[in-house]
Amino acid sequence: MLVRSAAAIAEAKAPGRNGGWDKESLVYDLDWDGDGRLAEWRAVLTETDGLRPVL
């Protein structure tokens, strides 16, 4: 079992092989619009600027 596991790990770590997974899509959400979400957050921040803080 250890030999098979070591072989599978070595194959997965081989250069040019990503096991069918795109590493960018595994870590990052490709539909994420960071600039749009930041602009939306800033708009909400300015809208609520005059409100009192609530616990």
Side-chain angles (χ1 to χ4, degrees), residues 1-17:
M1 187 164 137
L2 292 175
V3 173
R4 287 188 300 187
S5 297
I9 291 171
E11 184 180 342
K13 288 184 176 181
R17 176 169 169 83

Side-chain angles (χ1 to χ4, degrees), residues 2-3 11-12 14-15 18 21 23 26 32 37:
L2 292 175
V3 173
E11 184 180 342
N18 61 6
W21 289 88
K23 290 183 181 181
L26 183 64
W32 183 268
R37 290 184 184 249

Side-chain angles (χ1 to χ4, degrees), residues 1-2 5-6 10 13 17-18 20 22-24 26-28 33 35 39 41 43-45 50-52 54:
M1 187 164 137
L2 292 175
S5 297
K13 288 184 176 181
R17 176 169 169 83
N18 61 6
D22 182 15
K23 290 183 181 181
E24 292 294 319
L26 183 64
V27 176
Y28 300 105
D33 179 19
D35 293 332
W41 179 80
V44 170
L45 187 63
L51 299 177
R52 292 188 278 169
V54 177

Side-chain angles (χ1 to χ4, degrees), residues 1-2 7 12-13 17 19 22 25 27 29-30 33 36 38 40 42 45-46 49 53 55:
M1 187 164 137
L2 292 175
K13 288 184 176 181
R17 176 169 169 83
D22 182 15
S25 66
V27 176
D29 183 5
L30 299 178
D33 179 19
L38 183 60
E40 183 180 348
R42 286 180 176 159
L45 187 63
T46 58
D49 190 35
L55 292 177

